[in-house]
Amino acid sequence: MRTPYEHALASLSRREFLNVSWKLGIGAALLSSGSQRLWATPVFDSYPFTLGVASGDPLPEGIVLWTRLAPKPLEGGGLPHVAIGVEWEIAEDELFHQPVQSGSTLARAELGHAVHVEVDALQPGRDYWYRFTAGGIQSPVGRTRTAPSPYTDVEHLHIGVCGCNHYEQGFFSAYRHMANEHFDAIFHTGDYIYEYAPYDGKSSRVRQHLGEETFSLDDYRNRYALYKLDVDLQAMHASAPFIATWDDHEIDNDWAAEFSETNTPPEIFRLRRAAAFQAYYEAMPLRRSALPTASHLQLYRQLQFGRLMSVNVLDTRQYRSRQACHDRSVSNCTDFADLERTMLGSRQENWLQDQLSNSHAHWNVLAQQVPMFGREATAASAGNRHVMDKWSGYPAARDRLIGQVVDAGLKNVVVLSGDIHSHWAADVPRIMNQPDGESVAVELTTTSISSGGDGSDVASYWQDIAPTHPHVHHHSNRRGYLRCDITPDYWQSDFMVLDAVSRPDGLLSRGARMVVEPNNPTVVHA
C-alpha cells in the first residue's frame, strides 16, 4: 500500500518530477514491487540546520531527538513541498567513536520539515550524544541523557527550571549559563515564544519581532524560527533533554480552552489555535503521542526518574474554564465561586489523582505553568483580590487538587511554576486565604529568562505583600532560572539571577538557596 507521500509523488507530472529533482538533487529508486519511492538527497544552497538540535521527554530506555530543516528559517523554512531524507546517529561519546544506533527518517513538508525521532533500547541513566545528516551536511552535536530505571534508588538529580523568554525584552543569556550546568533535564514552564506584533517603540527593546502578531501556521513557524536562531537558546537545547509544556503566549495571551483574550468567536479562535498547536509540536522535542489534531494536543504526561522523582507535567490552558469576573481582580461575581469551574478539566484531574494515589517516589512534582501558592492571599477574606488567570482565580479547582494531595497522604509534593516573571519560594497553604495555616506542598516559581527586562532585586509590591504572607520565603524580581539538586534527603534550589538582560554579557549569581526536607512541606532557608 502506498503511503500518502508516495501518492503525492505519483501524482507529479514528468516535468514537475524533473523540476523537483533538479532543485533538490533527488535520486529516485524503483522497488521490485513496482511502487515508486523517492529518497531525497537534497543539495542545499545554505545550511539546513539553522535551528539547531534538541532532545526531550527522557525515558529509562529512550529519548526524543529533534531538528528542523530550514535553510531559510524566516521564510517558512525555504524548502519545497516534498519530504526529505534525514539520517540520525546516537553514540556514547561526543566524537561518535562509540556509536550505539543510527537510522533514517523523513522530514515531511506537512510538518514544516521538522523531525521527531523516538530512540529506544538505550541504557538508563546515562549520557548520549546525537546528530543528524541531510544532503551530506551534518547538524550540530547535542548531548542528552536517559532517565534512571524506575526501580533504581537514585542518589542525585540535577535539573533546571526556566520559562518566559520574550525575544524583544532581553537577551537569552540565562540559557547560555544553563547550557554550562550539564543538567539531567530541563523543565520549561511555558511562554517559549510571544505572539505579539513588534513593539511600537514607546520604550526601548533590545531586539524586535519580525512580522505582525501570529495567527497563521506560517506566522507561528517564523516566530519559532526567530527565537530558535538565538545561539544561547540553541546551546541550552543541545546541552540536556527538554521537558516542555506551554502557557498562554504560545497561542494567545490568557487564552482559556476555546476562548481568546479579545473575545474572538470560539469557532474562529479554534482555527488560530489549531495553527499554534501544530507549530508548537513542530518546534518541540515531543513524542508522537502529542501529534496534534485540529482541536487537541495531548500534553499532560508523567515522567519517572527512578524512585527519586515522579514528574507530572500538567496542562492548565487547554481544558480550563474561562477566567471569572471578566478577568478582573475582584471576586464579587457569581462565576468565581462556581464549583464546576476547572483548571485541568475532569479527565486530567482524574488522571492526576491516579498518579498521586499510586506514587511511591521520594518526590512528587507538579510541573506546570501558573502559581498556586497565593501571591494574592491574605488573612482578610472580605474583598480579597485575586489574579483570575492564576490558580487563585479558580478556588474550587485549587481545592480539588489540594484535596488530591491530602487524600493521597503525600507530604513530599513540589510544585514548579513560572508565568509571573519573578522568583518565589513559598509554602502552599491548604486554604489559600490562611497563609499561616497548614501547608500541603512547596512551590518553587522560576523567574523569566528575559520577559520584563532587567527587573530589580524585589518588585515594587513586595513591601505590601511581605508582612501578610508568612508562607513566602523568598522573592526576587531579577531574570534567571532555577537550579535544583535533588536527593532522597533534600531538595535544594538555587535561585540564579542575572544583573541585566538588556546586554548579552549579564553577570550570573546565586540570589538565594532554599531547601525542602522529606515529609516536611515547608521551605527551609539554607
Side-chain angles (χ1 to χ4, degrees), residues 20 26 97 128 223 330 374 438 474:
V20 169
I26 290 172
H97 291 159
Y128 289 94
R223 186 59 55 86
V330 290
E438 177 190 3
H474 174 66

Side-chain angles (χ1 to χ4, degrees), residues 7 27 44 87 104 207 224 226 277 320 394 489 520:
H7 277 293
F44 298 107
E87 298 172 350
S104 60
R207 301 183 286 192
Y224 278 106
L226 177 67
F277 283 11
R320 69 157 71 188
Y394 295 77
D489 299 322
N520 181 23

Side-chain angles (χ1 to χ4, degrees), residues 217-341:
L217 178 56
D218 281 346
D219 292 341
Y220 284 105
R221 281 174 173 168
N222 289 339
R223 186 59 55 86
Y224 278 106
L226 177 67
Y227 280 53
K228 283 180 171 290
L229 284 170
D230 184 276
V231 294
D232 293 332
L233 185 149
Q234 288 194 21
M236 178 273 297
H237 272 302
S239 72
F242 199 65
I243 301 172
T245 191
W246 56 30
D247 193 17
D248 51 342
H249 290 289
E250 288 89 350
I251 291 86
D252 178 46
N253 182 53
D254 284 359
W255 72 286
E258 297 184 336
F259 300 99
S260 74
E261 178 187 27
T262 55
N263 297 314
T264 303
E267 65 272 18
I268 303 299
F269 179 61
R270 283 196 293 268
L271 300 175
R272 179 184 186 179
R273 201 181 67 163
F277 283 11
Q278 178 171 340
Y280 183 80
Y281 175 80
E282 291 175 358
M284 295 294 143
L286 294 169
R287 295 186 176 275
R288 283 186 292 270
S289 57
L291 186 70
T293 66
S295 60
H296 180 252
L297 189 153
Q298 179 62 47
L299 200 54
Y300 66 84
R301 59 209 189 275
Q302 186 181 77
L303 297 169
Q304 195 76 28
F305 292 79
R307 293 192 179 100
L308 183 59
M309 183 175 70
S310 178
V311 179
N312 300 289
V313 183
L314 306 185
D315 179 353
T316 65
R317 286 289 167 190
Q318 191 172 182
Y319 315 104
R320 69 157 71 188
S321 305
R322 198 171 191 180
Q323 292 88 348
C325 307
H326 304 289
D327 206 10
R328 295 174 296 159
S329 60
V330 290
S331 55
N332 58 0
C333 63
T334 55
D335 53 341
F336 176 76
D338 185 349
L339 297 180
E340 299 301 316
R341 296 183 68 247

Side-chain angles (χ1 to χ4, degrees), residues 353-381:
Q353 183 174 20
D354 288 342
Q355 307 310 311
L356 295 177
S357 298
N358 295 314
S359 176
H360 299 287
H362 283 285
W363 301 99
N364 290 279
V365 179
L366 303 183
Q368 50 97 60
Q369 298 80 20
V370 294
M372 185 182 300
F373 66 89
R375 186 177 55 167
E376 310 83 12
T378 64
S381 59

Side-chain angles (χ1 to χ4, degrees), residues 188-205:
H188 195 281
T189 63
D191 293 345
Y192 188 97
I193 62 166
Y194 282 73
E195 80 283 18
Y196 299 136
Y199 197 63
D200 61 11
K202 292 180 180 178
S203 64
S204 62
R205 297 288 172 101

Side-chain angles (χ1 to χ4, degrees), residues 336-354:
F336 176 76
D338 185 349
L339 297 180
E340 299 301 316
R341 296 183 68 247
T342 181
M343 278 283 269
L344 303 178
S346 59
R347 181 174 294 181
Q348 187 176 187
E349 282 189 12
N350 293 336
W351 169 85
L352 181 59
Q353 183 174 20
D354 288 342

